[in-house]
Structures are given as structure tokens and as C-alpha cells.
């Protein structure tokens, strides 16, 4: 981290998201990637190779490995995930492969709003170290593209996580059926995903019932 070729603090995002859905997707990013592939919006591969390790590929010529180094979550709703990635990228205009290592630090804070919904503020810091042979070329010609792409991907991913959560609240059974079609997801993850989706739906229904109860009580007090 002290010898990074490039540091980028990606745009802070605040999303409306069920806290259990958020944590499950952070713990199982392959669910997001496989869903994108099923929808045809990406051609990224992310395969779990161990409890905290993955292999990754993309259609643009990249491949690598990812390892989660540390996770923690405090009782007041703050969480961090520290990830290390090592990869190789080869595509025009680069004449030879570019090797790089990346450290990602995801920091999320959950707060409950007055209406009972959870708002999550997420920050992501990226420390990228490019091998000496390719560092000058990348930093001179590709830095603007790399930073724009990283910002865009993080913003869109957070939007998708929020949409995922709202879908779980409205149609948990539909999401569970979709998960059954994801090829890189194992059965324990599917079962836990089903539980998380149905729990989010129950929370949403409880909030709705509470709003209706308060509205009915307010109307009754006006009548009296």
C-alpha cells in the first residue's frame, strides 16, 4: 500500500438496502457476477476456489486471483472488508502483459432511518501496484480510463445491490428461482440466500403493517 502506483478513493455511495442482503452479497460477490452474466450485461467470471479465495476473468483480457484478507463488523453497524487481488491484463494497445496487484478496502456504515429502512454508506479505497515494466505506459495513457471505469463500476454495483434488496423484499421467491439458475453457486449459498431474501421480505411487510397501524391510530384520534 505504501508503494502503490495508483491510489483511488471511489465515489461514496449511500443506498437503501436491507442489511442482511447487503452483507450476504458482500460475502458472496459471485451472486452478483453470476446474475449479471445470466442477464447478459457482463462477461465476467468469478469462481470461488476456497472459503475466502476466487479466480477471476473478464472478456477484455484480464485474469487473476482474489483473496479476502480480513472482515469485521461492529455491533453499531460498521463493517470492513480487506481484499487482495493479483492479476494479468493483455489487450491493445499494450504490447505485452501488464501484471498488477491491488488492495481494496471496503468500508460500510449502516443507519436506520425514521421510517425503519436501512441506509448504507459505502466507501471503497483501491491501492494498485503495477509491475515496473508496465507502470509508466499505464499511468501515462490509461490512468483516466482506469479511474473512470472503476468509479462507474462501483456506482453501478451499489445501485444493483439496492435493486437486488428491493426485489428480495417484493419477490423473494422469484429471486430464489433465479439463484437456482446460477451455475457457479453452491447449495449452501443458495439456501442461505433464500433465507436472507425471505427475511428481508418479512421485515418489509412488518414495516408496512406498522405504517398502516400508525395511520389507523392517527385517523381514529382525529375522529374522536
Amino acid at each position: 500500500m505504501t508503494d502503490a502506483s495508483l491510489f483511488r478513493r471511489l465515489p461514496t455511495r449511500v443506498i437503501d438496502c436491507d442489511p442482511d442482503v447487503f452483507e450476504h452479497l458482500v460475502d458472496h460477490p459471485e451472486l452478483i457476477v453470476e446474475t449479471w452474466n445470466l442477464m447478459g450485461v457482463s462477461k465476467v467470471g468469478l469462481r470461488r476456489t476456497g472459503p475466502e479465495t476466487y479466480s477471476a476473468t473478464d472478456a477484455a483480457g484480464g485474469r487473476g486471483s482474489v483473496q479476502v484478507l480480513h472482515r469485521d463488523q461492529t455491533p453499531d453497524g460498521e463493517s470492513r472488508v480487506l481484499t487482495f487481488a493479483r492479476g494479468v491484463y493483455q489487450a491493445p494497445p499494450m504490447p505485452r502483459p501488464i501484471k498488477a496487484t491491488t488492495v481494496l478496502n471496503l468500508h460500510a456504515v449502516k443507519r436506520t432511518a425514521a421510517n425503519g429502512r436501512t441506509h448504507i454508506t459505502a466507501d471503497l479505497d483501491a491501492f494498485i501496484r503495477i509491475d515496473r515494466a508496465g507502470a509508466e505506459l499505464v499511468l501515462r495513457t490509461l490512468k483516466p480510463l482506469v479511474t473512470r471505469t472503476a468509479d462507474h463500476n462501483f456506482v453501478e454495483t451499489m445501485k444493483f445491490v439496492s435493486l437486488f434488496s428491493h426485489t428480495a423484499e417484493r419477490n423473494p421467491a422469484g429471486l430464489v428461482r433465479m439463484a437456482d439458475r446460477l451455475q457457479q453457486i453452491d447449495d449452501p449459498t443458495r439456501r442461505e440466500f433464500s433465507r436472507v431474501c425471505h427475511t428481508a421480505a418479512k421485515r418489509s411487510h412488518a414495516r408496512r403493517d406498522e405504517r398502516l397501524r400508525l395511520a389507523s391510530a392517527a385517523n381514529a384520534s382525529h375522529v374522536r
Side-chain angles (χ1 to χ4, degrees), residues 74-113:
T74 65
D76 61 354
E78 186 173 1
S79 62
R80 291 184 185 274
V81 180
L82 186 66
T83 304
F84 175 79
R86 188 191 307 273
V88 178
Y89 178 80
Q90 184 171 21
M94 288 171 286
R96 57 181 178 272
I98 298 294
K99 298 179 181 179
T101 54
T102 302
V103 173
L104 299 172
N105 182 38
L106 175 66
H107 175 227
V109 178
K110 307 173 189 66
R111 294 288 182 263
T112 303

Side-chain angles (χ1 to χ4, degrees), residues 31 41 43 55 59 61 106 109 142 147 152 171 180 196 204 212 220:
L31 275 167
V41 299
K43 295 181 179 179
S55 65
L106 175 66
V109 178
L142 298 182
T147 54
H152 173 78
N171 185 16
D180 288 340
V196 167
S204 179
L212 292 175

Side-chain angles (χ1 to χ4, degrees), residues 135-144:
E136 182 180 352
L137 171 64
V138 172
L139 294 177
R140 185 177 68 248
T141 62
L142 298 182
K143 180 179 177 180

Side-chain angles (χ1 to χ4, degrees), residues 90-183:
Q90 184 171 21
M94 288 171 286
R96 57 181 178 272
I98 298 294
K99 298 179 181 179
T101 54
T102 302
V103 173
L104 299 172
N105 182 38
L106 175 66
H107 175 227
V109 178
K110 307 173 189 66
R111 294 288 182 263
T112 303
N115 62 2
R117 299 199 65 84
T118 299
H119 293 166
I120 299 175
T121 302
D123 299 290
L124 183 64
D125 289 343
F127 301 82
I128 304 172
R129 186 178 182 218
I130 304 167
D131 71 312
R132 297 302 182 189
E136 182 180 352
L137 171 64
V138 172
L139 294 177
R140 185 177 68 248
T141 62
L142 298 182
K143 180 179 177 180
L145 175 62
V146 170
T147 54
R148 283 199 306 271
T149 300
D151 289 356
H152 173 78
N153 288 346
F154 184 61
V155 169
E156 292 304 311
T157 299
M158 290 298 102
K159 287 181 182 177
F160 187 77
V161 168
S162 181
L163 175 63
F164 215 99
S165 176
H166 284 263
T167 304
E169 294 176 14
R170 296 191 302 267
N171 185 16
L175 273 187
V176 172
R177 287 194 299 272
M178 181 208 69
D180 288 340
R181 300 172 60 192
L182 304 181
Q183 298 180 359

